[in-house]
Amino acid sequence: MSSAASASAAGGAGEEGAAAAAQPQQEGPVVTCKGVNGLDKVVLREVRGSSAEVYLYGGHVTSWKDEHGEELLFVSNKAIFKPPKAIRGGIPICFPQFSNFGNLDPHGFARNRTWSVENDPPPFPVPTSNKAYVDLILTHTEEDLKIWPHSYEFRLRVALGPGGDLMLTSRIRNTNADGKPFSFTFAYHTYFSISDISEVRVEGLETLDYLDNLQERNRYTEQGDAIVFESELDRIYLGTPSKIAIIDHEKKRTFVVRKGGLPDAVVWNPWDKKAKAMSDFGDDEYKRMVCVEAAAIEKPITLKPGEEWTGKLELSAVPSSYYSGQLDPDRVLQDSSVPEDSIS
Protein backbone atom coordinates (compact mmCIF):
# COMPACT_ATOMS: atom_id res chain seq x y z
CA MET A 1 0.00 0.00 0.00
CA SER A 2 1.43 3.39 -0.96
CA SER A 3 1.66 6.28 1.47
CA ALA A 4 -1.03 8.05 -0.51
CA ALA A 5 -3.29 5.03 -0.22
CA SER A 6 -2.62 4.85 3.49
CA ALA A 7 -3.57 8.48 3.92
CA SER A 8 -6.73 8.01 1.88
CA ALA A 9 -7.71 4.92 3.80
CA ALA A 10 -7.10 6.73 7.06
CA GLY A 11 -9.69 9.29 6.12
CA GLY A 12 -7.93 11.74 3.80
CA ALA A 13 -6.92 13.80 6.80
CA GLY A 14 -4.59 16.03 4.79
CA GLU A 15 -0.86 16.03 4.14
CA GLU A 16 -0.02 16.02 7.84
CA GLY A 17 -2.03 12.84 8.23
CA ALA A 18 -0.27 11.33 5.23
CA ALA A 19 3.12 12.04 6.75
CA ALA A 20 2.06 10.57 10.07
CA ALA A 21 0.55 7.45 8.55
CA ALA A 22 3.56 5.17 8.51
CA GLN A 23 3.88 2.70 5.69
CA PRO A 24 3.70 -0.91 6.91
CA GLN A 25 6.93 -2.59 5.90
CA GLN A 26 5.77 -6.17 6.18
CA GLU A 27 3.05 -7.83 4.13
CA GLY A 28 0.53 -10.38 5.36
CA PRO A 29 -3.14 -10.79 6.28
CA VAL A 30 -2.73 -8.79 9.51
CA VAL A 31 -0.27 -5.90 9.90
CA THR A 32 -0.03 -3.51 12.86
CA CYS A 33 1.32 -0.05 12.07
CA LYS A 34 0.87 3.65 12.78
CA GLY A 35 -1.96 5.65 11.27
CA VAL A 36 -2.86 9.34 11.28
CA ASN A 37 -1.25 11.30 14.14
CA GLY A 38 0.68 8.19 15.17
CA LEU A 39 -2.41 6.30 16.31
CA ASP A 40 -2.07 2.51 16.23
CA LYS A 41 -4.03 0.70 13.55
CA VAL A 42 -4.38 -2.82 12.19
CA VAL A 43 -4.49 -3.44 8.43
CA LEU A 44 -6.30 -6.57 7.21
CA ARG A 45 -5.69 -7.92 3.71
CA GLU A 46 -7.54 -10.70 1.97
CA VAL A 47 -5.61 -12.72 -0.60
CA ARG A 48 -7.78 -11.51 -3.50
CA GLY A 49 -7.01 -7.87 -2.76
CA SER A 50 -9.69 -6.50 -0.45
CA SER A 51 -8.55 -4.73 2.70
CA ALA A 52 -9.75 -3.09 5.90
CA GLU A 53 -8.18 -0.82 8.50
CA VAL A 54 -9.07 -0.75 12.20
CA TYR A 55 -7.84 1.90 14.62
CA LEU A 56 -7.33 0.73 18.19
CA TYR A 57 -8.69 4.10 19.22
CA GLY A 58 -12.42 3.40 19.28
CA GLY A 59 -12.08 -0.15 17.89
CA HIS A 60 -12.93 1.88 14.81
CA VAL A 61 -13.00 0.53 11.25
CA THR A 62 -11.90 3.46 9.04
CA SER A 63 -11.43 1.72 5.69
CA TRP A 64 -12.92 -1.15 3.71
CA LYS A 65 -11.73 -1.53 0.14
CA ASP A 66 -12.76 -4.00 -2.53
CA GLU A 67 -10.35 -6.10 -4.59
CA HIS A 68 -9.91 -3.17 -7.00
CA GLY A 69 -8.82 -0.86 -4.19
CA GLU A 70 -12.02 1.22 -4.22
CA GLU A 71 -12.98 2.63 -0.84
CA LEU A 72 -16.43 1.50 0.32
CA LEU A 73 -16.68 3.43 3.59
CA PHE A 74 -16.91 7.19 3.99
CA VAL A 75 -14.54 9.07 6.31
CA SER A 76 -14.71 12.85 6.37
CA ASN A 77 -11.74 14.80 5.04
CA LYS A 78 -12.14 16.86 8.21
CA ALA A 79 -12.14 13.86 10.56
CA ILE A 80 -10.09 14.55 13.68
CA PHE A 81 -7.84 11.60 14.49
CA LYS A 82 -7.09 12.87 17.98
CA PRO A 83 -8.54 11.56 21.26
CA PRO A 84 -10.93 12.22 22.88
CA LYS A 85 -12.74 13.27 19.67
CA ALA A 86 -14.49 10.38 17.92
CA ILE A 87 -13.46 9.71 14.32
CA ARG A 88 -16.05 11.06 11.87
CA GLY A 89 -16.93 8.25 9.48
CA GLY A 90 -16.12 4.58 9.01
CA ILE A 91 -17.86 2.41 11.60
CA PRO A 92 -18.02 4.03 15.05
CA ILE A 93 -19.30 1.70 17.76
CA CYS A 94 -22.08 3.14 19.92
CA PHE A 95 -21.93 1.51 23.37
CA PRO A 96 -23.29 1.44 26.04
CA GLN A 97 -25.66 4.07 24.71
CA PHE A 98 -27.00 5.04 21.31
CA SER A 99 -27.43 8.79 20.77
CA ASN A 100 -29.00 10.37 23.87
CA PHE A 101 -31.04 7.31 24.90
CA GLY A 102 -29.70 7.61 28.46
CA ASN A 103 -27.58 9.78 30.74
CA LEU A 104 -24.19 9.37 29.07
CA ASP A 105 -22.64 11.53 26.38
CA PRO A 106 -24.24 10.81 22.98
CA HIS A 107 -23.28 7.39 21.59
CA GLY A 108 -21.56 6.30 24.81
CA PHE A 109 -17.83 5.93 25.35
CA ALA A 110 -16.59 2.83 23.45
CA ARG A 111 -15.72 4.96 20.39
CA ASN A 112 -13.61 7.26 22.59
CA ARG A 113 -11.50 4.57 24.28
CA THR A 114 -8.34 2.83 23.19
CA TRP A 115 -8.90 -0.89 22.70
CA SER A 116 -6.33 -3.67 23.01
CA VAL A 117 -5.53 -6.48 20.61
CA GLU A 118 -6.51 -9.78 22.24
CA ASN A 119 -4.15 -12.50 21.07
CA ASP A 120 -5.87 -15.37 22.89
CA PRO A 121 -9.62 -14.67 23.00
CA PRO A 122 -12.21 -17.18 24.21
CA PRO A 123 -13.29 -19.64 21.52
CA PHE A 124 -15.21 -18.02 18.71
CA PRO A 125 -18.65 -19.54 17.97
CA VAL A 126 -17.54 -20.69 14.53
CA PRO A 127 -13.85 -21.36 13.81
CA THR A 128 -12.42 -19.87 10.63
CA SER A 129 -9.55 -20.86 8.37
CA ASN A 130 -9.38 -17.28 7.11
CA LYS A 131 -6.46 -15.35 8.61
CA ALA A 132 -7.55 -11.78 7.76
CA TYR A 133 -9.09 -10.87 11.11
CA VAL A 134 -8.21 -9.20 14.39
CA ASP A 135 -9.69 -9.60 17.88
CA LEU A 136 -9.93 -6.50 20.07
CA ILE A 137 -11.06 -6.11 23.66
CA LEU A 138 -12.30 -3.23 25.77
CA THR A 139 -12.89 -3.42 29.52
CA HIS A 140 -14.06 -0.91 32.08
CA THR A 141 -11.75 1.75 33.48
CA GLU A 142 -12.01 3.71 36.70
CA GLU A 143 -13.11 6.66 34.56
CA ASP A 144 -15.88 4.57 33.01
CA LEU A 145 -17.11 3.31 36.37
CA LYS A 146 -17.74 6.89 37.50
CA ILE A 147 -20.21 7.48 34.69
CA TRP A 148 -21.47 3.92 34.07
CA PRO A 149 -20.92 1.80 37.21
CA HIS A 150 -20.67 -1.64 35.61
CA SER A 151 -17.92 -4.12 34.85
CA TYR A 152 -17.92 -5.54 31.35
CA GLU A 153 -15.82 -7.23 28.69
CA PHE A 154 -16.44 -6.12 25.11
CA ARG A 155 -14.78 -8.34 22.51
CA LEU A 156 -14.81 -7.25 18.88
CA ARG A 157 -13.70 -9.34 15.93
CA VAL A 158 -13.19 -7.55 12.61
CA ALA A 159 -12.73 -9.95 9.69
CA LEU A 160 -12.53 -9.96 5.92
CA GLY A 161 -14.23 -12.86 4.15
CA PRO A 162 -12.79 -14.61 1.10
CA GLY A 163 -15.08 -12.60 -1.17
CA GLY A 164 -14.15 -9.31 0.46
CA ASP A 165 -17.13 -9.12 2.82
CA LEU A 166 -16.50 -7.13 6.01
CA MET A 167 -17.68 -8.81 9.20
CA LEU A 168 -17.88 -7.33 12.69
CA THR A 169 -18.85 -9.47 15.66
CA SER A 170 -19.35 -7.91 19.10
CA ARG A 171 -19.51 -10.03 22.23
CA ILE A 172 -20.41 -8.12 25.39
CA ARG A 173 -20.31 -9.85 28.78
CA ASN A 174 -21.51 -8.64 32.19
CA THR A 175 -18.64 -9.18 34.64
CA ASN A 176 -20.22 -7.36 37.60
CA ALA A 177 -19.10 -8.92 40.88
CA ASP A 178 -22.02 -7.38 42.80
CA GLY A 179 -24.64 -9.54 41.10
CA LYS A 180 -26.29 -6.59 39.33
CA PRO A 181 -27.56 -6.75 35.74
CA PHE A 182 -26.95 -3.91 33.33
CA SER A 183 -28.72 -2.64 30.23
CA PHE A 184 -27.36 -0.94 27.12
CA THR A 185 -28.26 0.24 23.65
CA PHE A 186 -25.94 -0.33 20.72
CA ALA A 187 -25.25 0.50 17.08
CA TYR A 188 -22.68 -0.06 14.37
CA HIS A 189 -22.81 3.54 13.07
CA THR A 190 -21.74 2.63 9.51
CA TYR A 191 -20.98 5.41 7.01
CA PHE A 192 -21.18 4.10 3.44
CA SER A 193 -19.38 5.83 0.56
CA ILE A 194 -21.80 6.63 -2.27
CA SER A 195 -21.76 8.48 -5.59
CA ASP A 196 -24.44 11.03 -4.68
CA ILE A 197 -27.18 10.92 -2.06
CA SER A 198 -29.78 11.75 -4.74
CA GLU A 199 -28.84 8.51 -6.55
CA VAL A 200 -29.34 6.23 -3.55
CA ARG A 201 -32.29 4.24 -2.25
CA VAL A 202 -32.54 1.96 0.76
CA GLU A 203 -34.70 -1.15 0.37
CA GLY A 204 -35.87 -3.69 2.93
CA LEU A 205 -37.52 -1.30 5.42
CA GLU A 206 -40.84 -0.84 3.62
CA THR A 207 -44.05 -0.83 5.71
CA LEU A 208 -42.07 -0.78 8.97
CA ASP A 209 -42.60 1.54 11.92
CA TYR A 210 -39.89 4.07 12.72
CA LEU A 211 -39.09 6.72 15.29
CA ASP A 212 -38.41 10.07 13.62
CA ASN A 213 -35.57 11.86 15.40
CA LEU A 214 -36.52 15.07 13.58
CA GLN A 215 -40.09 14.88 14.94
CA GLU A 216 -39.46 14.38 18.67
CA ARG A 217 -39.10 10.62 18.08
CA ASN A 218 -42.74 10.26 17.22
CA ARG A 219 -43.64 6.90 15.72
CA TYR A 220 -44.65 6.63 12.06
CA THR A 221 -45.03 3.89 9.45
CA GLU A 222 -42.89 3.88 6.31
CA GLN A 223 -45.15 4.49 3.31
CA GLY A 224 -42.66 4.41 0.42
CA ASP A 225 -41.52 1.36 -1.52
CA ALA A 226 -37.96 2.45 -0.67
CA ILE A 227 -36.23 5.21 1.29
CA VAL A 228 -34.93 8.04 -0.91
CA PHE A 229 -33.22 11.25 0.17
CA GLU A 230 -34.40 14.78 -0.60
CA SER A 231 -33.66 16.46 2.73
CA GLU A 232 -32.26 15.65 6.18
CA LEU A 233 -33.35 12.21 7.35
CA ASP A 234 -32.80 10.64 10.78
CA ARG A 235 -34.93 7.62 11.62
CA ILE A 236 -34.81 4.50 13.79
CA TYR A 237 -36.62 1.66 12.03
CA LEU A 238 -38.00 -0.99 14.38
CA GLY A 239 -38.23 -4.75 14.08
CA THR A 240 -36.20 -4.76 10.87
CA PRO A 241 -35.28 -7.80 8.75
CA SER A 242 -31.84 -9.38 8.91
CA LYS A 243 -30.96 -7.99 5.44
CA ILE A 244 -31.14 -4.44 4.07
CA ALA A 245 -29.97 -3.12 0.68
CA ILE A 246 -28.43 0.26 -0.18
CA ILE A 247 -28.66 0.73 -3.94
CA ASP A 248 -26.32 3.26 -5.59
CA HIS A 249 -27.72 3.74 -9.09
CA GLU A 250 -24.82 5.77 -10.45
CA LYS A 251 -22.18 3.28 -9.34
CA LYS A 252 -24.46 0.36 -10.23
CA ARG A 253 -23.54 -1.09 -6.85
CA THR A 254 -25.56 -2.44 -3.96
CA PHE A 255 -24.38 -2.67 -0.38
CA VAL A 256 -26.04 -5.57 1.42
CA VAL A 257 -26.24 -5.24 5.20
CA ARG A 258 -26.77 -8.52 7.08
CA LYS A 259 -27.16 -8.50 10.84
CA GLY A 260 -27.82 -10.74 13.81
CA GLY A 261 -28.92 -9.80 17.33
CA LEU A 262 -29.67 -6.25 16.13
CA PRO A 263 -33.40 -5.74 15.53
CA ASP A 264 -33.33 -2.02 14.69
CA ALA A 265 -31.80 0.01 11.86
CA VAL A 266 -30.92 3.71 11.82
CA VAL A 267 -30.94 5.62 8.54
CA TRP A 268 -29.26 9.05 8.59
CA ASN A 269 -28.07 11.80 6.32
CA PRO A 270 -27.44 15.26 7.83
CA TRP A 271 -28.09 17.27 4.61
CA ASP A 272 -26.65 20.74 4.09
CA LYS A 273 -27.52 22.78 7.18
CA LYS A 274 -26.44 20.18 9.70
CA ALA A 275 -23.33 19.37 7.65
CA LYS A 276 -22.23 23.00 7.86
CA ALA A 277 -22.77 22.96 11.63
CA MET A 278 -20.36 20.05 12.19
CA SER A 279 -16.72 21.11 12.57
CA ASP A 280 -15.37 17.68 11.57
CA PHE A 281 -17.52 17.30 8.46
CA GLY A 282 -17.22 19.05 5.08
CA ASP A 283 -20.05 21.32 3.95
CA ASP A 284 -20.83 19.20 0.87
CA GLU A 285 -19.79 15.79 2.17
CA TYR A 286 -23.37 14.82 2.97
CA LYS A 287 -23.77 14.15 -0.76
CA ARG A 288 -21.19 11.34 -0.66
CA MET A 289 -22.32 9.39 2.40
CA VAL A 290 -25.27 7.63 3.93
CA CYS A 291 -25.49 5.94 7.31
CA VAL A 292 -27.44 2.70 7.62
CA GLU A 293 -26.79 1.35 11.08
CA ALA A 294 -27.50 -2.10 12.54
CA ALA A 295 -28.69 -1.39 16.06
CA ALA A 296 -30.49 -2.41 19.25
CA ILE A 297 -32.22 0.71 20.53
CA GLU A 298 -35.96 0.45 21.19
CA LYS A 299 -35.59 -2.47 23.60
CA PRO A 300 -32.28 -2.19 25.50
CA ILE A 301 -30.24 -5.35 25.93
CA THR A 302 -30.15 -6.51 29.57
CA LEU A 303 -27.44 -8.87 30.80
CA LYS A 304 -27.22 -10.58 34.16
CA PRO A 305 -23.73 -11.25 35.55
CA GLY A 306 -22.02 -13.88 33.44
CA GLU A 307 -24.39 -13.43 30.49
CA GLU A 308 -23.04 -12.51 27.08
CA TRP A 309 -24.71 -10.83 24.11
CA THR A 310 -23.58 -11.16 20.50
CA GLY A 311 -24.30 -8.64 17.76
CA LYS A 312 -23.10 -9.41 14.25
CA LEU A 313 -22.78 -7.27 11.13
CA GLU A 314 -21.77 -8.46 7.67
CA LEU A 315 -21.34 -6.03 4.78
CA SER A 316 -21.14 -6.98 1.10
CA ALA A 317 -20.79 -4.85 -2.04
CA VAL A 318 -22.29 -6.45 -5.16
CA PRO A 319 -23.52 -5.35 -8.62
CA SER A 320 -26.93 -3.68 -8.38
CA SER A 321 -28.52 -6.29 -10.63
CA TYR A 322 -28.11 -8.63 -7.65
CA TYR A 323 -31.13 -7.13 -5.89
CA SER A 324 -34.41 -7.95 -7.57
CA GLY A 325 -37.09 -7.83 -4.91
CA GLN A 326 -35.52 -10.25 -2.44
CA LEU A 327 -32.23 -10.10 -0.62
CA ASP A 328 -30.70 -13.48 -1.26
CA PRO A 329 -33.19 -15.21 1.08
CA ASP A 330 -31.26 -18.47 1.25
CA ARG A 331 -28.07 -16.96 2.52
CA VAL A 332 -27.59 -16.47 6.24
CA LEU A 333 -24.87 -14.91 8.31
CA GLN A 334 -21.73 -16.99 8.29
CA ASP A 335 -22.19 -17.47 12.00
CA SER A 336 -25.66 -18.98 11.88
CA SER A 337 -25.45 -19.63 15.61
CA VAL A 338 -26.28 -15.98 16.27
CA PRO A 339 -30.08 -15.78 16.62
CA GLU A 340 -31.99 -12.54 16.94
CA ASP A 341 -32.19 -13.16 20.67
CA SER A 342 -28.49 -13.71 21.07
CA ILE A 343 -27.86 -13.74 24.80
CA SER A 344 -26.16 -16.73 26.32
Side-chain angles (χ1 to χ4, degrees), residues 42-327:
V42 178
V43 180
L44 305 177
R45 290 189 185 87
E46 207 282 316
V47 66
R48 293 185 185 133
S50 61
S51 67
E53 298 192 359
V54 190
Y55 275 72
L56 297 191
Y57 176 61
H60 197 130
V61 177
T62 56
S63 175
W64 169 41
K65 292 183 177 181
D66 64 18
E67 66 273 19
H68 305 296
E70 183 174 0
E71 182 59 67
L72 302 172
L73 297 179
F74 167 88
V75 175
S76 173
N77 285 321
K78 291 190 173 183
I80 300 168
F81 285 74
K82 190 174 182 180
K85 181 72 174 177
I87 300 168
R88 172 70 67 183
I91 310 180
I93 289 176
C94 304
F95 170 84
Q97 177 181 300
F98 175 79
S99 186
N100 58 354
F101 280 76
N103 300 318
L104 302 174
D105 288 341
H107 292 331
F109 49 72
R111 64 183 188 148
N112 308 102
R113 300 289 185 265
T114 298
W115 297 53
S116 301
V117 174
E118 189 172 30
N119 294 316
D120 189 24
F124 209 67
V126 176
T128 178
S129 57
N130 185 36
K131 294 182 170 59
Y133 68 87
V134 64
D135 288 296
L136 304 181
I137 185 169
L138 182 71
T139 56
H140 60 277
T141 65
E142 291 302 317
E143 181 183 357
D144 295 339
L145 290 171
K146 292 175 184 175
I147 58 174
W148 197 66
H150 302 291
S151 300
Y152 66 91
E153 291 175 345
F154 187 151
R155 288 180 167 85
L156 172 68
R157 173 170 286 190
V158 181
L160 278 174
D165 294 353
L166 179 66
M167 294 166 283
L168 284 75
T169 305
S170 292
R171 294 187 286 169
I172 298 170
R173 181 173 292 275
N174 181 339
T175 58
N176 276 338
D178 58 7
K180 292 182 180 178
F182 63 65
S183 298
F184 61 90
T185 50
F186 180 94
Y188 292 113
H189 196 322
T190 308
Y191 289 71
F192 292 93
S193 176
I194 56 173
S195 59
D196 189 288
I197 189 64
S198 64
E199 295 288 333
V200 166
R201 56 193 280 137
V202 178
E203 297 190 2
L205 302 175
E206 306 79 50
T207 74
L208 297 181
D209 284 0
Y210 63 87
L211 306 179
D212 193 332
N213 288 318
L214 305 180
Q215 301 290 337
E216 300 180 336
R217 292 206 176 112
N218 289 325
R219 189 170 182 136
Y220 301 95
T221 300
E222 179 58 54
Q223 301 295 329
D225 60 357
I227 299 167
V228 294
F229 300 84
E230 299 171 339
S231 61
E232 181 183 358
L233 191 141
D234 189 354
R235 298 172 180 173
I236 303 167
Y237 286 82
L238 310 173
T240 61
S242 60
K243 303 180 187 73
I244 302 166
I246 305 157
I247 300 168
D248 189 333
H249 295 293
E250 186 173 315
K251 284 190 178 290
K252 296 182 173 60
R253 178 171 65 202
T254 296
F255 291 110
V256 181
V257 178
R258 296 180 178 86
K259 55 192 180 69
L262 296 159
D264 304 322
V266 180
V267 181
W268 178 65
N269 183 284
W271 220 251
D272 52 350
K273 288 184 180 179
K274 192 157 285 184
K276 290 176 181 176
M278 292 188 284
S279 61
D280 60 346
F281 193 88
D283 289 356
D284 293 324
E285 286 187 326
Y286 73 92
K287 297 175 182 177
R288 304 196 304 276
M289 57 70 66
V290 66
C291 285
V292 177
E293 312 165 30
I297 300 169
E298 183 189 26
K299 298 174 182 176
I301 306 296
T302 299
L303 296 179
K304 298 174 183 175
E307 282 189 327
E308 181 175 279
W309 169 85
T310 300
K312 191 172 177 72
L313 173 67
E314 182 180 317
L315 305 177
S316 309
V318 297
S320 283
S321 58
Y322 167 91
Y323 187 76
S324 58
Q326 272 191 306
L327 273 176

